[in-house]
Amino acid sequence: MPIRLFAAAFAVASVLFVFTVVEVSAHGDVTPQPVDTTGLDPVGEDWRKQNPYRENAKAIEIGTSGYNQNCARCHGLEAISGGLAPDLRLLDKGDAGDEWFMERIRHGAKKPDGTTMMPAFEGLISQEAMWAIRTYLESKYTPQ
């Protein structure tokens, strides 16, 4: 009887382990977290092409939180990539980096086979939150 009990417990633990591993490694299957942008001026309905919060201390503070909640799991703490996703400290500063960043965060990215590499955040977090995250990333900029 103890062997059957052990075997049953082992089987249940194995199944739970497999489902836990699948859930943790499922890139793109995460729920975006809201970003509180209280304290930032609203940017309006039209999508901005340039960062309205560049070097804004409040935006860096909000962007740090937004990044940690929504981006760090793939892009790494402090924007230092561990290899899964691009190291965002290397993103161009200024308008060129703004354009790439907003395209990617709004629309995401897929592999040629349709697999999600990065989820799209448009409609899930606000434009203010996106620009605050961009402002945080510029504060972490490291030249290549």
Side-chain angles (χ1 to χ4, degrees), residues 45-121:
E45 295 294 319
D46 295 332
W47 286 95
R48 299 279 184 104
K49 294 183 183 211
Q50 298 173 325
N51 187 349
Y53 304 131
R54 192 162 277 124
E55 298 181 18
N56 177 313
K58 185 66 174 175
I60 292 170
E61 176 188 331
I62 291 168
T64 300
S65 176
Y67 176 88
N68 287 333
Q69 293 172 37
N70 292 291
C71 313
R73 68 181 49 93
C74 296
H75 291 281
L77 295 175
E78 301 288 317
I80 302 169
S81 177
L84 176 62
D87 189 318
L88 298 178
R89 297 172 305 148
L90 305 176
L91 244 166
D92 288 339
K93 289 183 91 172
D95 296 348
D98 289 350
E99 182 178 350
W100 185 91
F101 174 81
M102 286 307 280
E103 172 64 27
R104 188 54 54 98
I105 195 170
R106 287 178 65 195
H107 304 293
K110 294 190 181 288
K111 293 180 182 179
D113 68 2
T115 306
T116 299
M117 293 186 330
M118 178 172 160
F121 284 88

